[in-house]
Amino acid sequence: MRKSFWLSTAMFVALAANWSGDAQAQTLRETMAKAYSNSQSLNVARAQLRATDENVPQARAGMRPTIGASAGAQAVRSHTSRGDDLPFQEGRTESLSAGIEINQVIFDGFQTPNNVSSAQAQVRASQASLSNTVQNTLLDAVTAHMDVRRDRQIAEFRRQNLAFLREQVRAADARFEVGEGTRTDVAQAQSQEALATALLNSALAQVAVSESQYLDIVGDVPGNLEPGIRPGDGLMPTSIAQALQISQAEHPAIQATLFAVEAASFQVKSAEGARLPQISVGASVDNVYSLNESNRGSGGFTDLPGVVDPNVTTQNQVSATVGAQLSIPIYQGGLVSSQVRQAKEVLGQRRIEVDLTRDQVRALVASSFAQLQAAEANVTGYRAQVAAAQLALGGVSEERSVGQRTTLDVLNAQADVISAQVLLAGSQRDVIVAAYQLLSAVGRIDAQQLALGAEIYDPEEHYQAVQDKWHGMRTPDGR
């Protein structure tokens, strides 16, 4: 038991040295700022949004001209040596060709405009989804910060409890040696000391778990963390009715589903456009240069005929073509009709998802509001319990010194103090986390609104940089 105690104490001292290594304690807002800048899940969502932005110029390409160039070369050799009194003959033909072709769609059944509008709505939906990811990441950072604070407090309470019980063991031994106590008192104190050692080891292990989760979410090792502070009154709703009203208007998850409905409606129109006539125009210019050469001999069966009548001709032909094409679909095997029906079903699904998301947000607001109220009430109750338990411990200790209480009474009073302190630490953590959960439920956890001080990522900058690009394979950041 002594060896386990010293091992636990050494672990706690090492962790305590790490906690107090920073001269400046880190605030909850600074933790959120680090998560906003370092979170890999946020970086993934941002990269995904940048890829989604490219759907808009891809959709615009449907009504832009396409230009192509072609070139070719050809050589032919012929040799005639024998035949029915035909003369010996050799020939060669060579040609070079080059051309350019331009095609422009004039009308495609309004498919391209609807595809562009759908892609723009998809971008807005992805931007709202990114905002929702930001909310979740910042809430995870708040939870990780407060978990580390709570678990470190509990570990400190466990350490203090172990020190207290160790002193009780020493005092019980001393009283037993002078005949004022019993072996039972010593055994009871030793039993509580052993339990306290095990609980301290568990608390230190929980600290390590919370710190690893903090590192995963925030991207940095937790230093000396300050207690959390509730969001400002300007952001927090004052009633459940106000919270529900704000959430339905501002929550990014709801906004994302509304934009998804808009995108799906344009997809229906685009699918219907495949049944309309298509008009396109094209123009091409071709340049062909050719050379023909033939040599004719004297004929007969001579092996070495004389060569006479060489003939060489060259030609350079330039041609230009302009044309228009009208395509009227009549029947496509049911493909287009099926695609239209499918797009309408997807639109119906998106509308249902809006209602589902609204219901989920309402439930989240109601539960978060109730959890916040319960946590605030628990803090008041547990704070009073801690004060009363500490007062009772002092009284029991005094009464034992005059023989009116036993060592077991003191140990039970100390257990009540530790239990109340652990509950208070947990409820203090719950108040801050529940407050930010409510703020997240109404859609107001935002880096700008919280004034985190981190560099704000603006997704609109990338979208505006690429949404009307005609050429270029480099990304806006130079890749």
Side-chain angles (χ1 to χ4, degrees):
M1 183 177 65
R2 297 290 185 182
K3 181 179 179 181
S4 178
F5 165 73
W6 287 113
L7 178 60
S8 301
T9 303
M11 291 173 60
F12 183 82
V13 169
L15 287 171
N18 182 42
W19 300 341
S20 60
D22 295 336
Q24 183 70 29
Q26 180 174 301
T27 65
L28 179 58
R29 184 172 297 175
E30 290 171 342
T31 295
M32 288 190 286
K34 285 185 177 181
Y36 182 81
S37 301
N38 301 336
S39 173
Q40 296 301 330
S41 61
L42 265 183
N43 290 333
V44 169
R46 291 163 181 163
Q48 182 178 1
L49 175 57
R50 291 193 295 270
T52 303
D53 291 343
E54 295 293 345
N55 290 338
V56 176
Q58 291 173 17
R60 293 186 191 277
M63 292 295 290
R64 290 175 177 173
T66 60
I67 303 173
S70 61
Q74 186 178 21
V76 178
R77 293 289 188 272
S78 62
H79 178 77
T80 302
S81 60
R82 297 180 184 276
D84 296 334
D85 294 329
L86 294 177
F88 166 80
Q89 192 173 25
E90 278 189 339
R92 69 185 178 97
T93 301
E94 297 176 353
S95 64
L96 297 174
S97 62
I100 186 169
E101 182 178 1
I102 302 176
N103 290 289
Q104 173 67 60
V105 175
I106 302 300
F107 180 73
D108 64 351
F110 306 107
Q111 293 183 75
T112 295
N114 287 316
N115 288 337
V116 171
S117 298
S118 177
Q120 290 172 336
Q122 289 173 1
V123 168
R124 300 308 176 192
S126 297
Q127 288 178 348
S129 296
L130 175 62
S131 298
N132 194 50
T133 303
V134 170
Q135 283 210 144
N136 295 335
T137 300
L138 295 181
L139 179 59
D140 289 343
V142 171
T143 304
H145 181 105
M146 297 309 300
D147 284 349
V148 171
R149 280 276 312 173
R150 176 201 60 194
D151 295 337
R152 286 177 176 178
Q153 280 185 305
I154 292 175
E156 174 62 17
F157 293 149
R158 297 297 185 192
R159 185 194 65 81
Q160 294 174 359
N161 181 51
L162 183 57
F164 176 86
L165 294 175
R166 189 172 172 225
E167 176 61 24
Q168 294 303 309
V169 171
R170 188 200 62 78
D173 280 333
R175 287 193 299 272
F176 178 71
E177 292 295 334
V178 297
E180 295 181 0
T182 65
R183 175 62 67 183
T184 301
D185 293 335
V186 176
Q188 289 173 338
Q190 289 175 340
S191 173
Q192 292 299 310
E193 181 189 15
L195 176 61
T197 301
L199 293 176
L200 176 57
N201 288 331
S202 298
L204 292 173
Q206 184 59 45
V207 169
V209 171
S210 298
E211 289 182 343
S212 65
Q213 293 174 344
Y214 180 100
L215 176 62
D216 180 53
I217 295 170
V218 180
D220 194 10
V221 177
N224 186 15
L225 304 180
E226 284 190 2
I229 300 176
R230 288 184 51 170
D233 294 336
L235 294 176
M236 293 290 293
T238 57
S239 65
I240 183 66
Q242 184 186 24
L244 290 171
Q245 181 181 4
I246 294 173
S247 66
Q248 295 300 306
E250 298 184 13
H251 201 285
I254 296 177
Q255 294 175 351
T257 56
L258 291 174
F259 282 120
V261 169
E262 183 180 350
S265 65
F266 282 114
Q267 284 298 312
V268 173
K269 296 178 181 179
S270 176
E272 292 173 341
R275 302 178 60 190
L276 298 177
Q278 317 285 316
I279 303 174
S280 62
V281 297
S284 63
V285 177
D286 296 289
N287 185 10
V288 180
Y289 175 81
S290 60
L291 180 148
N292 294 287
E293 180 181 357
S294 63
N295 297 323
R296 180 173 298 180
S298 58
F301 295 96
T302 176
D303 293 332
L304 298 174
V307 178
V308 297
D309 298 331
N311 185 21
V312 178
T313 61
T314 61
Q315 182 182 11
N316 187 65
Q317 180 181 0
V318 178
S319 62
T321 304
V322 177
Q325 183 177 2
L326 171 65
S327 175
I328 303 176
I330 297 176
Y331 181 69
Q332 303 93 350
L335 173 63
V336 174
S337 300
S338 175
Q339 290 173 338
V340 172
R341 295 194 304 270
Q342 183 183 49
K344 290 180 178 179
E345 293 296 341
V346 172
L347 175 58
Q349 176 188 346
R350 297 291 178 261
R351 287 171 175 164
I352 296 173
E353 288 173 352
V354 173
D355 296 334
L356 175 62
T357 304
R358 288 188 183 278
D359 292 341
Q360 291 174 340
V361 170
R362 288 191 191 98
L364 182 60
V365 169
S367 63
S368 299
F369 200 88
Q371 289 174 1
L372 177 58
Q373 290 182 321
E376 290 173 339
N378 288 341
V379 167
T380 302
Y382 291 143
R383 189 174 284 126
Q385 182 184 5
V386 168
Q390 290 175 335
L391 182 63
L393 175 61
V396 170
S397 298
E398 291 295 331
E399 292 172 0
R400 185 192 60 182
S401 64
V402 296
Q404 295 180 349
R405 293 281 187 169
T406 66
T407 298
L408 181 60
D409 294 330
V410 175
L411 297 177
N412 290 336
Q414 172 64 13
D416 291 340
V417 170
I418 293 300
S419 176
Q421 288 175 331
V422 170
L423 291 173
L424 177 59
S427 64
Q428 289 173 335
R429 172 263 183 200
D430 292 342
V431 166
I432 303 301
V433 173
Y436 278 95
Q437 281 179 339
L438 178 58
L439 197 63
S440 174
V442 300
R444 286 188 171 180
I445 290 189
D446 181 78
Q448 286 182 313
Q449 289 183 318
L450 295 175
L452 298 183
E455 182 179 356
I456 302 300
Y457 178 82
D458 185 7
E460 192 67 19
E461 291 183 4
H462 182 271
Y463 171 71
Q464 293 299 333
V466 303
Q467 61 96 14
D468 198 30
K469 290 195 73 170
W470 283 66
H471 62 87
M473 293 184 289
R474 286 190 178 274
T475 60
D477 59 1
R479 289 176 286 128

